[in-house]
Short mmCIF file of all heavy atoms in Angstrom, two decimals:
data_model
loop_
_atom_site.label_atom_id
_atom_site.label_comp_id
_atom_site.label_asym_id
_atom_site.label_seq_id
_atom_site.Cartn_x
_atom_site.Cartn_y
_atom_site.Cartn_z
N ILE A 1 0.80 -1.22 0.00
CA ILE A 1 0.00 0.00 0.00
C ILE A 1 0.85 1.27 -0.01
O ILE A 1 0.39 2.35 -0.39
CB ILE A 1 -0.97 0.01 1.21
CG1 ILE A 1 -2.20 0.84 0.94
CG2 ILE A 1 -0.25 0.46 2.50
CD1 ILE A 1 -3.25 0.70 2.01
N GLU A 2 2.09 1.16 0.41
CA GLU A 2 2.93 2.34 0.64
C GLU A 2 3.10 3.22 -0.61
O GLU A 2 2.82 4.42 -0.58
CB GLU A 2 4.30 1.87 1.15
CG GLU A 2 5.29 2.96 1.46
CD GLU A 2 6.59 2.40 1.98
OE1 GLU A 2 6.58 1.38 2.69
OE2 GLU A 2 7.64 2.99 1.66
N THR A 3 3.55 2.65 -1.68
CA THR A 3 3.86 3.45 -2.89
C THR A 3 2.62 3.99 -3.58
O THR A 3 2.56 5.18 -3.90
CB THR A 3 4.72 2.64 -3.86
OG1 THR A 3 5.95 2.28 -3.20
CG2 THR A 3 5.03 3.44 -5.11
N PRO A 4 1.59 3.18 -3.82
CA PRO A 4 0.41 3.74 -4.49
C PRO A 4 -0.31 4.81 -3.69
O PRO A 4 -0.87 5.74 -4.27
CB PRO A 4 -0.49 2.51 -4.74
CG PRO A 4 0.03 1.45 -3.84
CD PRO A 4 1.49 1.71 -3.66
N PHE A 5 -0.31 4.70 -2.36
CA PHE A 5 -0.96 5.73 -1.54
C PHE A 5 -0.25 7.05 -1.72
O PHE A 5 -0.88 8.10 -1.93
CB PHE A 5 -0.94 5.30 -0.08
CG PHE A 5 -1.70 6.20 0.86
CD1 PHE A 5 -3.06 6.10 0.98
CD2 PHE A 5 -1.04 7.17 1.61
CE1 PHE A 5 -3.76 6.94 1.84
CE2 PHE A 5 -1.72 8.01 2.47
CZ PHE A 5 -3.11 7.88 2.59
N TYR A 6 1.06 7.04 -1.66
CA TYR A 6 1.83 8.28 -1.83
C TYR A 6 1.67 8.81 -3.25
O TYR A 6 1.46 10.02 -3.45
CB TYR A 6 3.32 8.02 -1.55
CG TYR A 6 4.19 9.24 -1.63
CD1 TYR A 6 4.35 10.06 -0.52
CD2 TYR A 6 4.81 9.60 -2.82
CE1 TYR A 6 5.15 11.20 -0.60
CE2 TYR A 6 5.60 10.75 -2.90
CZ TYR A 6 5.75 11.53 -1.78
OH TYR A 6 6.52 12.67 -1.86
N ALA A 7 1.76 7.93 -4.25
CA ALA A 7 1.66 8.37 -5.63
C ALA A 7 0.30 9.00 -5.92
O ALA A 7 0.21 10.02 -6.62
CB ALA A 7 1.90 7.18 -6.57
N GLN A 8 -0.78 8.40 -5.39
CA GLN A 8 -2.10 8.91 -5.68
C GLN A 8 -2.41 10.22 -4.94
O GLN A 8 -2.79 11.22 -5.54
CB GLN A 8 -3.16 7.85 -5.29
CG GLN A 8 -4.60 8.28 -5.51
CD GLN A 8 -4.94 8.45 -6.96
OE1 GLN A 8 -4.48 7.66 -7.79
NE2 GLN A 8 -5.73 9.46 -7.30
N LEU A 9 -2.19 10.22 -3.61
CA LEU A 9 -2.64 11.37 -2.82
C LEU A 9 -1.62 12.49 -2.75
O LEU A 9 -2.00 13.66 -2.60
CB LEU A 9 -3.01 10.91 -1.40
CG LEU A 9 -4.46 10.38 -1.27
CD1 LEU A 9 -4.65 9.09 -2.05
CD2 LEU A 9 -4.80 10.13 0.22
N ARG A 10 -0.36 12.16 -2.90
CA ARG A 10 0.66 13.22 -2.82
C ARG A 10 1.07 13.69 -4.21
O ARG A 10 1.00 14.87 -4.55
CB ARG A 10 1.89 12.70 -2.06
CG ARG A 10 3.06 13.68 -2.05
CD ARG A 10 2.79 14.91 -1.22
NE ARG A 10 3.93 15.81 -1.14
CZ ARG A 10 4.17 16.78 -2.01
NH1 ARG A 10 3.37 16.98 -3.02
NH2 ARG A 10 5.22 17.58 -1.86
N THR A 11 1.47 12.75 -5.06
CA THR A 11 2.02 13.13 -6.37
C THR A 11 0.91 13.58 -7.33
O THR A 11 1.02 14.65 -7.96
CB THR A 11 2.79 11.95 -6.98
OG1 THR A 11 3.80 11.54 -6.06
CG2 THR A 11 3.45 12.36 -8.28
N GLU A 12 -0.15 12.78 -7.43
CA GLU A 12 -1.20 13.11 -8.42
C GLU A 12 -2.19 14.14 -7.89
O GLU A 12 -2.45 15.13 -8.56
CB GLU A 12 -1.91 11.82 -8.82
CG GLU A 12 -1.04 10.82 -9.55
CD GLU A 12 -1.80 9.59 -10.02
OE1 GLU A 12 -3.07 9.69 -10.13
OE2 GLU A 12 -1.18 8.54 -10.19
N GLU A 13 -2.72 13.90 -6.70
CA GLU A 13 -3.77 14.81 -6.21
C GLU A 13 -3.18 15.99 -5.42
O GLU A 13 -3.90 16.97 -5.18
CB GLU A 13 -4.74 14.03 -5.34
CG GLU A 13 -5.47 12.93 -6.09
CD GLU A 13 -6.53 12.26 -5.24
OE1 GLU A 13 -6.97 12.87 -4.22
OE2 GLU A 13 -6.93 11.14 -5.56
N GLN A 14 -1.91 15.90 -5.02
CA GLN A 14 -1.26 16.96 -4.24
C GLN A 14 -2.12 17.39 -3.07
O GLN A 14 -2.32 18.58 -2.81
CB GLN A 14 -0.92 18.14 -5.15
CG GLN A 14 0.05 17.81 -6.25
CD GLN A 14 0.50 18.98 -7.07
OE1 GLN A 14 0.07 20.11 -6.83
NE2 GLN A 14 1.39 18.75 -8.03
N LEU A 15 -2.59 16.38 -2.34
CA LEU A 15 -3.52 16.62 -1.24
C LEU A 15 -2.83 17.22 -0.02
O LEU A 15 -3.41 17.97 0.74
CB LEU A 15 -4.22 15.31 -0.86
CG LEU A 15 -5.48 15.39 -0.03
CD1 LEU A 15 -6.55 16.17 -0.78
CD2 LEU A 15 -5.99 13.98 0.29
N GLY A 16 -1.57 16.88 0.16
CA GLY A 16 -0.84 17.40 1.31
C GLY A 16 0.67 17.14 1.10
O GLY A 16 1.05 16.40 0.20
N TYR A 17 1.46 17.74 1.96
CA TYR A 17 2.90 17.54 1.79
C TYR A 17 3.46 16.46 2.71
O TYR A 17 4.61 16.07 2.58
CB TYR A 17 3.65 18.86 2.03
CG TYR A 17 3.30 19.60 3.29
CD1 TYR A 17 3.88 19.26 4.52
CD2 TYR A 17 2.34 20.63 3.31
CE1 TYR A 17 3.55 19.93 5.68
CE2 TYR A 17 2.03 21.30 4.45
CZ TYR A 17 2.63 20.94 5.66
OH TYR A 17 2.28 21.60 6.82
N ILE A 18 2.64 15.98 3.64
CA ILE A 18 3.03 14.80 4.44
C ILE A 18 1.97 13.74 4.17
O ILE A 18 0.82 13.84 4.61
CB ILE A 18 3.12 15.11 5.93
CG1 ILE A 18 4.26 16.11 6.18
CG2 ILE A 18 3.38 13.83 6.74
CD1 ILE A 18 4.47 16.51 7.61
N VAL A 19 2.35 12.73 3.40
CA VAL A 19 1.43 11.67 3.01
C VAL A 19 2.19 10.35 3.11
O VAL A 19 3.23 10.17 2.50
CB VAL A 19 0.96 11.86 1.54
CG1 VAL A 19 0.09 10.69 1.10
CG2 VAL A 19 0.21 13.18 1.39
N ASN A 20 1.69 9.45 3.92
CA ASN A 20 2.33 8.14 4.01
C ASN A 20 1.36 7.08 4.49
O ASN A 20 0.38 7.37 5.19
CB ASN A 20 3.59 8.16 4.92
CG ASN A 20 3.27 8.65 6.31
OD1 ASN A 20 2.54 8.02 7.06
ND2 ASN A 20 3.84 9.81 6.68
N ALA A 21 1.62 5.87 4.10
CA ALA A 21 0.83 4.72 4.52
C ALA A 21 1.78 3.53 4.60
O ALA A 21 2.77 3.46 3.88
CB ALA A 21 -0.31 4.45 3.55
N GLY A 22 1.46 2.58 5.47
CA GLY A 22 2.31 1.39 5.58
C GLY A 22 2.03 0.63 6.84
O GLY A 22 1.13 0.95 7.63
N TYR A 23 2.86 -0.37 7.05
CA TYR A 23 2.73 -1.24 8.22
C TYR A 23 3.15 -0.49 9.46
O TYR A 23 4.21 0.13 9.50
CB TYR A 23 3.64 -2.47 8.00
CG TYR A 23 3.56 -3.47 9.12
CD1 TYR A 23 2.35 -4.02 9.52
CD2 TYR A 23 4.71 -3.89 9.77
CE1 TYR A 23 2.30 -4.98 10.55
CE2 TYR A 23 4.69 -4.85 10.79
CZ TYR A 23 3.45 -5.36 11.18
OH TYR A 23 3.41 -6.29 12.19
N GLN A 24 2.30 -0.53 10.49
CA GLN A 24 2.64 0.14 11.76
C GLN A 24 2.19 -0.73 12.92
O GLN A 24 1.04 -0.66 13.36
CB GLN A 24 1.98 1.51 11.86
CG GLN A 24 2.36 2.23 13.15
CD GLN A 24 1.79 3.63 13.25
OE1 GLN A 24 1.34 4.19 12.26
NE2 GLN A 24 1.79 4.18 14.45
N PRO A 25 3.08 -1.58 13.43
CA PRO A 25 2.71 -2.35 14.61
C PRO A 25 2.75 -1.49 15.86
O PRO A 25 3.55 -0.55 15.97
CB PRO A 25 3.79 -3.44 14.65
CG PRO A 25 4.98 -2.80 13.98
CD PRO A 25 4.44 -1.86 12.96
N LEU A 26 1.88 -1.77 16.80
CA LEU A 26 1.91 -1.17 18.14
C LEU A 26 2.25 -2.31 19.10
O LEU A 26 1.43 -3.19 19.34
CB LEU A 26 0.57 -0.54 18.49
CG LEU A 26 0.11 0.61 17.57
CD1 LEU A 26 -1.29 1.10 17.99
CD2 LEU A 26 1.11 1.77 17.60
N LEU A 27 3.49 -2.25 19.63
CA LEU A 27 4.05 -3.39 20.35
C LEU A 27 3.99 -4.59 19.38
O LEU A 27 4.52 -4.51 18.28
CB LEU A 27 3.30 -3.65 21.65
CG LEU A 27 3.31 -2.47 22.67
CD1 LEU A 27 2.51 -2.83 23.90
CD2 LEU A 27 4.72 -2.06 23.03
N GLU A 28 3.30 -5.69 19.77
CA GLU A 28 3.24 -6.85 18.89
C GLU A 28 1.96 -6.85 18.04
O GLU A 28 1.75 -7.79 17.27
CB GLU A 28 3.26 -8.13 19.73
CG GLU A 28 4.60 -8.43 20.37
CD GLU A 28 4.54 -9.74 21.14
OE1 GLU A 28 3.95 -9.74 22.24
OE2 GLU A 28 5.09 -10.73 20.64
N ALA A 29 1.14 -5.85 18.18
CA ALA A 29 -0.15 -5.80 17.46
C ALA A 29 0.06 -5.20 16.07
O ALA A 29 0.52 -4.09 15.94
CB ALA A 29 -1.16 -4.99 18.24
N PRO A 30 -0.27 -5.97 15.02
CA PRO A 30 -0.07 -5.45 13.67
C PRO A 30 -1.15 -4.48 13.23
O PRO A 30 -2.30 -4.55 13.72
CB PRO A 30 -0.12 -6.72 12.80
CG PRO A 30 -1.05 -7.63 13.55
CD PRO A 30 -0.82 -7.32 15.01
N GLY A 31 -0.83 -3.56 12.35
CA GLY A 31 -1.80 -2.60 11.84
C GLY A 31 -1.28 -1.87 10.62
O GLY A 31 -0.09 -1.93 10.31
N ILE A 32 -2.17 -1.20 9.94
CA ILE A 32 -1.84 -0.38 8.79
C ILE A 32 -2.28 1.06 9.10
O ILE A 32 -3.44 1.27 9.52
CB ILE A 32 -2.58 -0.84 7.51
CG1 ILE A 32 -2.22 -2.29 7.17
CG2 ILE A 32 -2.24 0.08 6.33
CD1 ILE A 32 -0.83 -2.52 6.68
N SER A 33 -1.38 2.02 8.96
CA SER A 33 -1.75 3.42 9.18
C SER A 33 -1.73 4.16 7.86
O SER A 33 -0.92 3.87 6.98
CB SER A 33 -0.81 4.09 10.18
OG SER A 33 0.48 4.24 9.63
N LEU A 34 -2.63 5.14 7.75
CA LEU A 34 -2.73 6.00 6.57
C LEU A 34 -2.83 7.42 7.07
O LEU A 34 -3.77 7.76 7.78
CB LEU A 34 -3.94 5.63 5.70
CG LEU A 34 -4.05 4.15 5.31
CD1 LEU A 34 -5.14 3.48 6.11
CD2 LEU A 34 -4.36 4.02 3.81
N LEU A 35 -1.86 8.27 6.69
CA LEU A 35 -1.79 9.62 7.23
C LEU A 35 -1.66 10.64 6.12
O LEU A 35 -0.88 10.48 5.20
CB LEU A 35 -0.58 9.75 8.15
CG LEU A 35 -0.25 11.15 8.66
CD1 LEU A 35 -1.32 11.66 9.63
CD2 LEU A 35 1.11 11.18 9.34
N VAL A 36 -2.48 11.70 6.21
CA VAL A 36 -2.36 12.84 5.31
C VAL A 36 -2.44 14.12 6.15
O VAL A 36 -3.36 14.29 6.95
CB VAL A 36 -3.48 12.87 4.25
CG1 VAL A 36 -3.38 14.14 3.40
CG2 VAL A 36 -3.40 11.64 3.36
N GLN A 37 -1.45 14.98 5.98
CA GLN A 37 -1.45 16.31 6.61
C GLN A 37 -1.44 17.34 5.50
O GLN A 37 -0.61 17.29 4.59
CB GLN A 37 -0.24 16.50 7.50
CG GLN A 37 -0.16 17.86 8.16
CD GLN A 37 1.08 18.01 9.03
OE1 GLN A 37 1.54 17.02 9.64
NE2 GLN A 37 1.60 19.21 9.16
N SER A 38 -2.39 18.29 5.57
CA SER A 38 -2.57 19.23 4.45
C SER A 38 -2.72 20.65 4.92
O SER A 38 -3.42 20.91 5.92
CB SER A 38 -3.78 18.84 3.63
OG SER A 38 -4.03 19.80 2.60
N PRO A 39 -2.10 21.62 4.22
CA PRO A 39 -2.29 23.03 4.55
C PRO A 39 -3.54 23.64 3.91
O PRO A 39 -3.92 24.76 4.25
CB PRO A 39 -1.03 23.69 4.00
CG PRO A 39 -0.68 22.86 2.82
CD PRO A 39 -1.08 21.45 3.17
N SER A 40 -4.17 22.89 3.01
CA SER A 40 -5.28 23.47 2.25
C SER A 40 -6.57 22.66 2.30
O SER A 40 -7.67 23.21 2.40
CB SER A 40 -4.87 23.66 0.78
OG SER A 40 -4.40 22.45 0.23
N ALA A 41 -6.47 21.34 2.19
CA ALA A 41 -7.66 20.50 2.21
C ALA A 41 -8.19 20.33 3.63
O ALA A 41 -7.40 20.20 4.57
CB ALA A 41 -7.36 19.14 1.59
#
């Protein structure tokens, strides 16, 4: 999910300047996080 999320929301849509997604475990608990920070949207 990491590359297409960045390519779609950051590169193509320019939704924000901090855009990332990927695997994010909390201790031993697995999870996927998706983050967008934007000055305009």
Side-chain angles (χ1 to χ4, degrees):
I1 206 171
E2 181 179 325
T3 299
F5 186 81
Y6 183 88
Q8 178 67 38
L9 275 66
R10 174 69 177 89
T11 305
E12 295 182 23
E13 300 186 19
Q14 298 186 358
L15 197 60
Y17 50 83
I18 295 180
V19 175
N20 57 65
Y23 182 56
Q24 183 177 344
L26 298 177
L27 301 178
E28 290 182 285
I32 302 289
S33 69
L34 307 105
L35 172 69
V36 175
Q37 178 180 329
S38 175
S40 55

